Amino acid sequence: MGRRTLIVGNWKMNGLIETAQEFADAILTGLSARAGRFVQCEVVICPPATALYVLNQRLGGSSVKLGGQNISEHESGPHTGEICGIMLRNVGCRFVILGHSERRATCGEDNETVGRKMAAAFRDGLQPIVCVGESLEERDLGRTLEVVEGQIEALIPYLPVHAAKRPLLVLAYEPVWAIGTGRNATPEQIQEVHGFIRQRLEGELGADAQKIRILYGGSVKGTNARSILALKDVDGGLIGGASLKAADFLAIIDAVPEKF
Ligand code: PGA
């Protein structure tokens, strides 16, 4: 299959400089003690923008990569309060989370906006991690696949023209009702949506769909990560709460199955 497992920590609006430095030291120590396992997966931390510089100083040159939590679709200019992709690259980022449900719900980000931001990430040399997922109401109405399909379809026109770049896209399926709630989707529910996303991508992108990583997010922790990460079309996790403490995050890395 050949898709390397990707474990991404989304700190959301948590973490000051001191805690970020302590986390970096703890994660480096923890990973060096697990060198063999670490190569099984790629590890990315997405802290608040204010902690990126210092984390880059601590983690730059290590195998732990950095990502942002959002970018503007613009390259520069009069956009007060915004950060562009080049700025994230400037502080060592390789990835950026886009279209997280918290931003879709509170910052007016619709499917089109997320598509434009994804195009901006590719333009600026960042790997986008685009979040999709249904609300509880949508699931209860039996609309899960339809909602996710709409979110994926909206991205297609914004994918890079160069087909070789398309496999750099990362998708994250995050059922909104499982985020930060401690409520878990069942392995069957997760595989159903991941398999559907893969099939939908195949219809649009052909063989490249096999190279695109699809992460699962929503109350993933050390105790449930093993059964989720072992699923056929799950290529890693987007971790919120359990990424804030190095020990909890390392427990998820320890649960990465050997898929090769
Ligand atoms: P959670 O958050 O792990 O705290 O549920 C996941 C996310 O929002 O990316």
Side-chain angles (χ1 to χ4, degrees):
M1 177 160 55
R3 293 186 298 268
R4 191 167 175 218
T5 302
L6 177 61
I7 303 294
V8 182
N10 172 15
W11 287 8
K12 308 189 179 185
M13 204 172 69
N14 297 292
L16 300 176
I17 299 295
E18 297 75 15
T19 42
Q21 283 171 325
E22 281 165 22
F23 180 97
D25 293 343
I27 200 89
L28 288 178
T29 307
L31 289 175
S32 67
R34 294 164 167 81
R37 173 141 294 273
F38 183 36
V39 293
Q40 300 287 330
C41 68
E42 194 173 11
V43 177
V44 179
I45 311 290
C46 301
T50 46
L52 280 168
Y53 180 81
V54 73
L55 276 177
N56 189 35
Q57 284 186 318
R58 282 286 220 274
L59 297 174
S62 81
S63 321
V64 182
K65 294 172 186 149
L66 286 176
Q69 298 177 12
N70 176 43
I71 49 167
S72 164
E73 64 190 78
H74 304 287
E75 282 187 88
S76 64
H79 304 286
T80 302
E82 295 287 330
I83 290 177
C84 64
I86 298 291
M87 290 168 180
L88 289 189
R89 286 273 309 282
N90 199 219
V91 283
C93 289
R94 309 269 288 274
F95 291 82
V96 63
I97 298 169
L98 295 174
H100 190 282
S101 60
E102 287 155 12
R103 295 196 59 84
R104 289 184 191 255
T106 60
C107 307
E109 292 194 6
D110 58 14
N111 287 344
E112 290 296 309
T113 315
V114 176
R116 288 197 300 274
K117 288 187 176 208
M118 181 190 72
F122 277 115
R123 177 195 67 209
D124 295 338
L126 292 165
Q127 270 191 260
I129 302 168
V130 180
C131 304
V132 298
E134 82 288 0
S135 65
L136 186 55
E137 192 190 355
E138 288 162 338
R139 175 158 285 270
D140 288 345
L141 288 169
R143 294 188 54 223
T144 298
L145 299 184
E146 174 199 332
V147 168
V148 170
E149 182 170 38
Q151 291 167 330
I152 303 279
E153 265 175 8
L155 300 176
I156 304 296
Y158 296 101
L159 282 169
V161 179
H162 295 294
K165 281 192 178 176
R166 293 177 179 172
L168 295 175
L169 171 64
V170 178
L171 291 170
Y173 169 56
E174 298 203 306
V176 177
W177 47 273
I179 295 176
T181 59
R183 257 188 86 169
N184 289 123
T186 64
E188 293 75 25
Q189 288 172 324
I190 297 171
Q191 176 53 36
E192 183 195 20
V193 179
H194 280 239
F196 174 77
I197 293 173
R198 181 92 56 212
Q199 196 186 35
R200 198 64 197 76
L201 290 174
E202 233 155 36
E204 298 286 347
L205 307 174
D208 281 344
Q210 289 300 328
K211 300 182 194 154
I212 291 175
R213 289 181 288 186
I214 309 172
L215 314 183
Y216 174 74
S219 300
V220 177
K221 38 190 185 291
T223 47
N224 62 17
R226 194 171 299 278
S227 58
I228 295 171
L229 296 174
L231 295 168
K232 178 173 170 279
D233 285 299
V234 173
D235 306 311
L238 181 53
I239 321 296
S243 71
L244 295 175
K245 288 199 184 121
D248 295 344
F249 196 51
L250 286 164
I252 292 169
I253 291 167
D254 284 340
V256 171
E258 298 189 16
K259 285 193 179 178
F260 301 105

